[in-house]
Amino acid sequence: MQNESLFRDKPVWSAIFSMAIPSVFTILVMIVYNMADLFFIGRLGDTAQVGAISIVGPVFSLLSAVSTMIGVGGCTTIAKALGGGNTENARTYASLCGWTFLIFGGIFSAVVLAFTNPLLRALGTPADMVHYAGIYMRVLALGAPMMLFSQGMAMLIRSEGAIKEGLIGNLSGTVVNLILDPVFILGLKWGVAGAAVATVLGNLVGSAYFAYYILRKSSILNLKPQCALRSPGSLFPMMALGLPNALSSILSGLASTFSNRLLSAYGTNAIAAMGAAGKITMLVGLVQMGICMGVQPMMAYNYGAGNLARLKEILLKTALLAAAVGVVTTVGCSLARHTLIGLFLRQQEAAAMGEEIVVYLLLAGPVLGLYYLSANFLQAAGNAPLATVASVLRQGAVLIPLLYLMAYLFGFTGIAIAHTASDVISALIGLFACLWQFGRLKTQLLPPDQHT
């Protein structure tokens, strides 16, 4: 393992920054990656094409869900195995994850290509967006295996402390996408088709780098079939551990579909406005998520090693860092909302709607770190059921009913208020769950006379 001393011995603040900064930078790279399509499509001044990207998003949230489920579950499991000295088990887990990325990606591609039109109808695609949404969906589906492999390996690679290599892989794909987007979208005038092609090629480059790292540099990560076949059943506990992240992505996509259906009553501009506002608020949440995900392997390692004192220090200092970053990014995005919305929307009415709802969406920003820290800690501790419940509450059981209730009470702005209310409720639930789980760990790891 490359950086075992980082997890075990380095001063906690220094270790947190060593893990969190590259992870956050990776998240920022992903944000730029996700925003690039919308930004350059926005330069065309066609809200139908901007809205088409938002409409298709929920389908590919399933792909992100699988990459996150296996990537996070595998990363946590491998890190815990390394913390306990089980190197061969770690190699088995790594091979299983790699092959699952490739196989599921192929299945996903075939299904989406076969059922594009029914999927578009199920998503409630407005008539003026059907053509653009269909093109965007089909091209992205062709690159699904590489998208899944690239995104998943970017998470899995953190399990052995290869922070720099994970960053390089993400950055290489993003740079390619950013270079090709204006060429394909604006230069060749391919529109949404060009955006999709650029995305696929960017993921292909990222996948190529991760494959090179696995074959030439890693001592743990591998794609050897014999390793995967040694214990194929091990895949299911890893998937269970990463299930909260997967459910979060799936339910987020489902909630977006319900949200878009409600927004369709207000026209194409409303859907485009929510898509742009969502991209901005995503910055606040994902930066905090990046901090917590970056530190998760260190939490899992110390849990596996039974180092309760270091684990407690990691939790407290990570919470402080995430909260501070949440406040700064929320204030920054609020003050710059006019400029940020203008990056994606040129049509004045749509831009005005985006500026109106982004204020509501940002209100929960300062407390989201509590939710992400709790979810990552519960996974690091191996409590997949409780982490899963927390994810279901935030993106499903709480949010979806709130969407309809708030839309009924407050109309257009109520849809944004529902997201904020769900985030705050989930953060509070996550905090209590985190405290309960730490108390449980303390009981398990310390003798009775040290439980105070």
Side-chain angles (χ1 to χ4, degrees), residues 271-352:
I271 296 176
M274 181 62 81
K279 292 292 184 183
I280 294 169
T281 55
M282 181 175 66
L283 172 65
V284 177
L286 289 185
V287 169
Q288 293 177 79
M289 184 181 76
I291 292 171
C292 300
M293 286 184 65
V295 176
Q296 188 194 51
M298 187 160 59
M299 290 191 290
Y301 181 94
N302 284 280
Y303 174 76
N307 193 341
L308 185 61
R310 185 171 176 85
L311 184 60
K312 179 179 179 180
E313 189 177 358
I314 291 168
L315 283 168
L316 292 174
K317 291 180 176 178
T318 303
L320 180 61
L321 178 62
V325 169
V327 171
V328 171
T329 53
T330 296
V331 172
C333 288
S334 296
L335 294 176
R337 62 185 181 276
H338 177 75
T339 301
L340 293 172
I341 289 291
L343 293 175
F344 308 113
L345 297 172
R346 286 189 168 183
Q347 211 276 347
Q348 187 174 0
E349 182 182 351

Side-chain angles (χ1 to χ4, degrees), residues 6-7 10-20 295 298 310:
L6 171 66
F7 292 167
K10 198 169 185 177
V12 170
W13 269 125
S14 179
I16 287 174
F17 280 108
S18 295
M19 298 293 293
V295 176
M298 187 160 59
R310 185 171 176 85

Side-chain angles (χ1 to χ4, degrees), residues 35 39 62 78 83 118 143 145 158 219-220 235 237 266 269 273 289 351 354-355 361 364 368 382 404 406 415:
M35 287 185 175
F39 172 79
L62 176 60
I78 293 168
R158 295 182 295 114
S219 59
I220 301 298
L235 178 64
Y266 302 92
N269 284 338
M289 184 181 76
E355 287 186 46
L361 291 174
L368 273 178
Y404 286 91
M406 294 300 174
I415 298 171

